[in-house]
Amino acid sequence: MNGTITDVPGILVGHAEDTEALTGCTVILAERPAVCGVDVRGSAPGTRETDLLDPINLVNSVHAICLSGGSAYGLDAASGVMQYLEEKGVGLDTGFGLVPIVPAAVLFDLSVGNPRIRPTREMGYLAASRSSRQLVPEGNVGAGTGATVGKLNGFAHAMKSGIGSASRKYPGGLLIGAIVAVNAVGHVQEPDTGRILAGPRDEDGTILSSLDVMQKQAFSLIPPGTNTTIGVVASNAILTKAEANKIAQMAHDGLARTICPIHTMYDGDTLFAMGTGQIEASADVIGALSAEILAEAVIRAVRAAKPAGGLPSCDSIKS
């Protein structure tokens, strides 16, 4: 056990990023096709192949998931993942060629670094080629390279965030892991204590509650095009596609416990749920536990982040 999502048998992760432009992508690769579901709660999503994951639709499993910065431009990274998998002989056999199934979701990081440079097909290919079972690097890497939080007092008073991962093993052999790129408009708080780790700051640099900021504003204007939290929960369970969708839905509770506000009109919050098919387990149990693990991954994403783009991080200032 390394404490990250790669503890789940059959799950590999790879990052690629541009540390000067402050953007990147993360690939969650399944060694064998994994049943997958999705739940989109934010109202401004940037996604690819999510309709395919509806239980009424044909394809039952995926070969990889791509999480990316770059807003809608970043969806190009998934094409590089497809290219990598095709070269490896992986994909849905259509009878006329292999078609790798790679759903994707993006976050908006054009507000930091260089907005003219976004994750590309080549970056997606590189991330896929780096995928491994090793401990997942966290913080300013992959899709978390340009992630930020706490934007309700203006972007200049926001804070740097990143990508985080967590995992746990349960009696009976159930393994659940999560990975999440945290790019929220609101603040991030510890679920048990309510202590704010990163959020909007005042002129003196003091971290504020997003709700306090919103209540003091005549109009609570959420900055458009600066947000979205995206992630994956995975288990070694045998799942139907309907169960995977339910688990993705329940896992959003982990975001609600740690991010405030969440699922706004200017977010595209999207979570995928994967099952690698080794053991029998209850979807309700997996969903409830996934929310706990995802909450831990959110906290790790913020704590692992380093200052970048002129913004401080949790470890560089005191709340």
Side-chain angles (χ1 to χ4, degrees):
M1 296 286 289
N2 62 41
T4 64
I5 194 173
T6 52
D7 282 330
V8 177
I11 296 295
L12 288 68
V13 172
H15 294 307
E17 60 278 318
D18 186 321
T19 55
E20 291 187 4
L22 292 180
T23 194
C25 66
T26 296
V27 173
I28 299 88
L29 193 149
E31 288 186 298
R32 289 182 288 183
V35 173
C36 187
V38 67
D39 192 65
V40 181
R41 292 290 176 93
S43 296
T47 58
R48 170 172 167 162
E49 296 277 42
T50 51
D51 282 352
L52 195 67
L53 303 181
D54 190 307
I56 69 170
N57 291 331
L58 176 65
V59 176
N60 195 52
S61 55
V62 305
H63 303 99
I65 293 172
C66 183
L67 307 178
S68 181
S71 189
Y73 293 106
L75 292 171
D76 283 349
S79 295
V81 182
M82 290 184 68
Q83 179 186 345
Y84 173 83
L85 291 170
E86 182 185 27
E87 290 176 3
K88 297 295 182 182
V90 174
L92 176 68
D93 189 352
T94 66
F96 298 93
L98 296 175
V99 180
I101 306 301
V102 184
V106 295
L107 56 78
F108 190 103
D109 58 7
L110 305 183
S111 45
V112 295
N114 186 342
R116 304 288 295 179
I117 297 176
R118 309 109 181 185
T120 60
R121 181 188 187 107
E122 290 73 24
M123 187 180 283
Y125 185 99
L126 179 60
S129 71
R130 290 175 172 173
S131 61
S132 77
R133 303 182 191 88
Q134 302 303 309
L135 175 76
V136 177
E138 299 172 279
N140 299 19
V141 293
T145 304
T148 54
V149 296
K151 301 151 200 174
L152 284 168
N153 207 29
F155 190 79
H157 297 96
M159 290 180 65
K160 187 71 183 69
S161 181
I163 195 167
S165 186
S167 71
R168 293 183 197 169
K169 185 176 182 179
Y170 298 94
L174 177 64
L175 275 160
I176 303 175
I179 187 167
V180 60
V182 182
N183 192 57
V185 67
H187 66 254
V188 173
Q189 63 188 27
E190 293 177 333
D192 295 331
T193 67
R195 183 169 75 93
I196 298 175
L197 299 177
R201 297 171 295 126
D202 64 14
E203 297 298 332
D204 297 325
T206 301
I207 301 176
L208 308 171
S209 162
S210 296
L211 291 182
D212 289 345
V213 174
M214 293 174 78
Q215 292 176 59
K216 291 176 182 178
Q217 294 173 344
F219 299 95
S220 297
L221 296 178
I222 296 174
T226 60
N227 317 301
T228 294
T229 296
I230 51 178
V232 176
V233 295
S235 73
N236 60 340
I238 300 167
L239 301 175
T240 66
K241 199 156 61 165
E243 288 173 329
N245 275 271
K246 185 61 180 178
I247 290 166
Q249 181 188 82
M250 294 177 69
H252 272 279
D253 289 354
L255 301 185
R257 293 168 192 165
T258 51
I259 300 172
C260 183
I262 192 69
H263 307 145
T264 72
M265 291 296 293
Y266 293 104
D267 282 301
D269 305 316
T270 300
L271 290 181
F272 299 93
M274 303 171 72
T276 59
Q278 279 88 41
I279 68 168
E280 297 280 355
S282 160
D284 285 332
V285 170
I286 297 168
L289 296 176
S290 293
E292 292 290 315
I293 298 166
L294 185 67
E296 181 182 341
V298 169
I299 299 303
R300 288 175 60 155
V302 169
R303 286 182 169 154
K306 301 298 180 185
L311 299 177
S313 63
C314 174
D315 74 341
S316 67
I317 63 175
K318 295 181 179 180
S319 59

